[in-house]
Amino acid sequence: MEKIKFKEINFSALHKLQRQGTQSTIYTDGFLCYKLLDGLYPDEKRDLSKKFLDMDGIKMNGVLLPLHLIVEDDNLKGYTMKYFAHSMPLSEKFLKRYFHCKELFIYVEKASKILRNIHSNGIIYQDLSFENILVDDNGNIVFCDIDGCTYKEHISPFFSLLFKNFLMDFRHSTLSTKEDIDKLSMLLSFFLVMYGQELQRITKKQYHALSNHIQTLENLRKTADRLVNPNFPIENLPYMDEVIDLNDNYEIDRKKLLTIRQRIFRKL
């Protein structure tokens, strides 16, 4: 993997992206993104550099893989990746009261197939959420922020907040496979977009208000029930493309899904 010296980058000629990572600063020249890892400790950067070098040569469609390492005094400062123009996070695209579920399902099915390919390359994405899945104006989709992944012996400490809230704070459970980390994260992100709240907060009445009209949710009903039930282990989770029914085209009105208490709380 080629290296670019930090001092040779003309940052005054770059544009700082509106959306930034929690531990990074990202710029673009219209062709590449330059991600500076200013929130990581030196030892974390050393580990990340070794992981990226070990991943060099992997090619996957739909994933923004590192192209160059940005170094300063031969220490990792950041990396470049392809710029995915005119895009927004999948979570943001459906951050609205009304939407047709079919549009979301098309994106999620594509994302699920990309995730299968990620796993087939021995990568656990780990810090997976719909905030790290980008969609553009033409319906294309990519995974970004690959630096949070686990690969071979390179273990990442990063998980999405949604995953942490559910598995560590709510279920206090473990998973049967590493791949289930990503499959669970995608399921949790999916339910959050569909219902506007985390899975563990969705009542049975709210769930059925949509599943009565959407076959995909009916396909996931047993999975959702087992996930929130502490008596069941979390195992054999499906990939989303296994359960999505693209015949679904129901218009969702998130406000109708709220309980009276939730409506009052949101007005305060």
Side-chain angles (χ1 to χ4, degrees):
M1 187 176 295
E2 293 185 28
K3 296 180 180 180
I4 299 175
K5 292 183 179 180
F6 175 74
K7 64 181 180 180
E8 295 178 355
I9 301 173
N10 182 10
F11 284 96
S12 63
L14 303 181
H15 171 69
K16 190 174 181 179
L17 294 184
Q18 182 179 357
R19 300 180 188 90
Q20 296 291 325
T22 55
Q23 296 181 318
S24 62
T25 307
I26 309 173
Y27 302 84
T28 185
D29 59 8
F31 300 97
L32 295 177
C33 278
Y34 299 76
K35 184 171 183 178
L36 301 182
L37 303 165
D38 38 32
L40 298 186
Y41 292 109
D43 61 322
E44 292 176 320
K45 292 179 184 178
R46 284 194 295 270
D47 292 343
L48 182 58
S49 179
K50 292 176 183 177
K51 178 170 66 178
F52 279 166
L53 290 173
D54 211 7
M55 291 172 61
D56 193 22
I58 293 177
K59 298 184 183 300
M60 292 184 290
N61 292 327
V63 183
L64 297 180
L65 291 164
L67 299 175
H68 313 88
L69 300 184
I70 301 172
V71 298
E72 186 175 44
D73 298 327
D74 210 32
N75 296 314
L76 183 68
K77 185 80 174 176
Y79 65 95
T80 72
M81 56 189 164
K82 184 179 178 181
Y83 177 53
F84 192 57
H86 309 297
S87 65
M88 67 172 67
L90 183 57
S91 55
E92 185 175 323
K93 187 172 182 64
F94 293 92
L95 192 62
K96 49 191 175 183
R97 176 176 171 179
Y98 300 101
F99 65 91
H100 282 87
C101 64
K102 185 170 186 175
E103 183 184 6
L104 171 65
F105 292 0
I106 289 172
Y107 286 123
V108 175
E109 184 188 46
K110 289 180 181 178
S112 180
K113 290 178 178 179
I114 293 171
L115 181 62
R116 285 181 181 270
N117 192 25
I118 290 170
H119 288 169
S120 70
N121 279 277
I123 297 170
I124 304 301
Y125 210 86
Q126 201 156 293
D127 188 14
L128 194 160
S129 72
F130 283 2
E131 293 179 4
N132 288 340
I133 298 175
L134 305 178
V135 299
D136 69 8
D137 295 340
N138 297 317
N140 299 309
I141 186 167
V142 298
F143 283 62
C144 64
D145 293 339
I146 189 72
D147 44 89
C149 76
T150 282
Y151 180 67
K152 294 183 177 179
E153 74 275 11
H154 307 288
I155 307 300
S156 171
F158 302 110
F159 298 91
S160 73
L161 181 60
L162 196 60
F163 178 88
K164 175 187 175 297
N165 288 346
F166 181 83
L167 191 72
M168 303 172 190
D169 298 341
F170 173 70
R171 272 300 306 262
H172 307 289
S173 183
T174 58
L175 301 175
S176 59
T177 68
K178 292 180 180 179
E179 288 77 11
D180 277 346
I181 295 173
D182 291 342
K183 289 192 276 185
L184 176 59
S185 295
M186 188 167 282
L187 282 165
L188 296 174
S189 296
F190 175 76
F191 286 124
L192 179 61
V193 170
M194 290 295 291
Y195 289 92
Q197 56 188 321
E198 297 179 22
L199 174 60
Q200 61 270 30
R201 299 182 182 277
I202 300 171
T203 67
K204 288 186 178 296
K205 182 178 180 180
Q206 287 172 316
Y207 192 94
H208 291 300
L210 286 185
S211 67
N212 288 338
H213 305 281
I214 300 174
Q215 184 59 44
T216 296
L217 289 174
E218 186 58 31
N219 295 344
L220 280 169
R221 183 173 55 81
K222 287 185 179 179
T223 298
D225 287 344
R226 287 174 176 250
L227 283 174
V228 298
N229 190 332
N231 295 319
F232 285 96
I234 301 178
E235 58 186 9
N236 300 320
L237 294 178
Y239 285 97
M240 286 300 303
D241 60 276
E242 297 178 73
V243 295
I244 283 180
D245 189 332
L246 292 179
N247 292 314
D248 288 327
N249 195 25
Y250 185 73
E251 183 181 49
I252 294 172
D253 178 354
R254 280 225 193 92
K255 188 174 180 180
K256 289 183 178 179
L257 296 173
L258 299 177
T259 64
I260 294 176
R261 182 177 179 180
Q262 288 169 337
R263 292 179 190 179
I264 293 173
F265 179 77
R266 293 194 177 190
K267 289 180 180 179
L268 296 178

